[in-house]
Amino acid sequence: MPRPRTSRLATGALLALAARPALADDVPPEFTKQFNELARAAEAALRAEGPDAAIRLYEEGLLGPLGEYGRISLRLGQIYQQAGRSADAAAHYRACQDDPRVDAVDREMICRDGFDAVTAPLAIDGLPPRARVVVVEPARFAGPWREGARLPLGPARLVVDAPGRQRAEAEVQVAAPETRWAAVVGPPIESVMQLPVVVSPPADEEPSGAGGSPWPAFVLGGVGLGLVGGGLYLGFGSHGALDDARARQADGGCGADHCRGELDDAAGRAKLADGLWIGGAVVAAAGLVWYLLDDGDAE
């Protein structure tokens, strides 16, 4: 009976590590010595205390003199994969592939195959023209979604921006070998913009605005235009901040929690901006209707 793919990958990775020492990497001997000392301490902690202890030592190694050494990420990817933490495993396997100091065979056999084992491609059906999908979580993979891109197995949170539609957020469960998702878009923006209903007074009563001053209509229209202007100003600013936060998060320029906070804050300001300019348009339209009715009655 053939062994599952993940079991073969794990066994092959361990055999490759045993057969191919870190000396195969393109690093100075002193660098190799430091890594071997770290690896011995981490493997001892793994046997004695469990995965969390080994992960802590390896993560500290990435921040220390060894820098962002891909072989440390290789081991972290394996440990995270064994612990069932696909997003963390995928991020470290990807970092291992990106480090040319790691032997090319190990990058191909262990890191690339490991990445493929803990990720799957996400295909999205039914996206409107010019729509954009942004990955919000997992945080290590946050940024614009691209056709054929692979995401870690497990839950992913997406945001869909489509022209003329309100922003929509959804959760997708990524599973192997491929996940197909029917895009969820928000309702049309126009659907929340309705003009006020004008009720005609009884025939035997004079309209309250008849023959009156047009100033109330001007004030109402001015307030509406002010709200529209404020909403547009806030909207442009919030969308700029949202794009900036997404770009920095995709490039790893800020911590996951900090970037997520900025994204939520910018999204909240964008919703407020939509409410302001839509409400302002309604108020301005009401002022115009008032003015036209009042002007018609005056004639």
Side-chain angles (χ1 to χ4, degrees):
M1 179 178 178
R3 290 179 296 175
R5 173 178 170 82
T6 53
S7 297
R8 294 200 305 271
L9 285 171
T11 303
L14 292 175
L15 290 174
L17 279 177
R20 302 186 58 82
L23 289 173
D25 293 347
D26 185 17
V27 294
E30 182 61 29
F31 197 91
T32 300
K33 179 181 177 181
Q34 292 180 37
F35 169 74
N36 288 338
E37 291 174 354
L38 171 63
R40 283 192 292 269
E43 298 308 312
L46 176 64
R47 292 189 297 270
E49 305 176 49
D52 289 342
I55 288 171
R56 184 175 63 254
L57 289 176
Y58 276 128
E59 293 281 8
E60 290 173 355
L62 288 175
L63 301 175
L66 294 177
E68 297 178 353
Y69 183 28
R71 190 164 289 278
I72 298 179
S73 292
L74 182 154
R75 283 299 293 131
L76 280 169
Q78 291 176 316
I79 296 172
Y80 276 126
Q81 181 180 0
Q82 293 166 6
R85 296 168 59 176
S86 297
D88 292 318
H92 283 289
Y93 280 137
R94 181 176 60 183
C96 170
Q97 293 179 76
D98 292 340
D99 188 355
R101 295 174 296 180
V102 179
D103 181 75
V105 175
D106 286 350
R107 279 186 280 141
E108 179 75 12
M109 293 180 57
I110 302 176
C111 299
R112 194 200 68 175
D113 287 352
F115 181 83
D116 289 346
V118 295
T119 62
L122 173 66
I124 301 180
D125 299 323
L127 271 181
R130 302 189 308 279
R132 183 175 65 166
V133 178
V134 176
V135 178
V136 179
E137 291 180 349
R140 290 177 182 263
F141 288 79
W145 169 84
R146 294 176 179 81
E147 185 71 39
R150 302 180 71 94
L151 290 178
L153 304 179
R157 189 157 64 98
L158 310 177
V159 170
V160 180
D161 274 321
R165 298 273 184 168
Q166 298 182 49
R167 184 176 292 106
E169 184 175 309
E171 184 172 294
V172 180
Q173 193 71 24
V174 180
E178 181 188 63
T179 297
R180 301 199 69 87
W181 178 64
V184 175
V185 297
I189 292 177
E190 292 79 3
S191 67
V192 299
M193 184 176 177
Q194 300 177 356
L195 293 177
V197 178
V198 179
V199 180
S200 300
D204 58 347
E205 294 184 11
E206 183 180 356
S208 60
S213 170
W215 284 109
F218 292 158
V219 172
L220 193 61
V223 170
L225 292 176
L227 290 174
V228 170
L232 292 176
Y233 176 80
L234 182 60
F236 287 135
S238 61
H239 281 294
L242 189 62
D243 290 339
D244 180 64
R246 286 170 178 163
R248 287 190 293 106
Q249 189 178 51
D251 294 337
C254 58
D257 292 337
H258 180 62
C259 275
R260 181 176 176 181
E262 288 189 12
L263 286 171
D264 292 341
D265 182 60
R269 292 201 305 272
K271 292 180 181 178
L272 175 61
D274 289 342
L276 284 175
W277 78 261
I278 292 171
V282 172
V283 173
L288 178 61
V289 171
W290 188 344
Y291 172 79
L292 293 175
L293 289 176
D294 187 66
D295 186 59
D297 289 337
E299 293 178 359

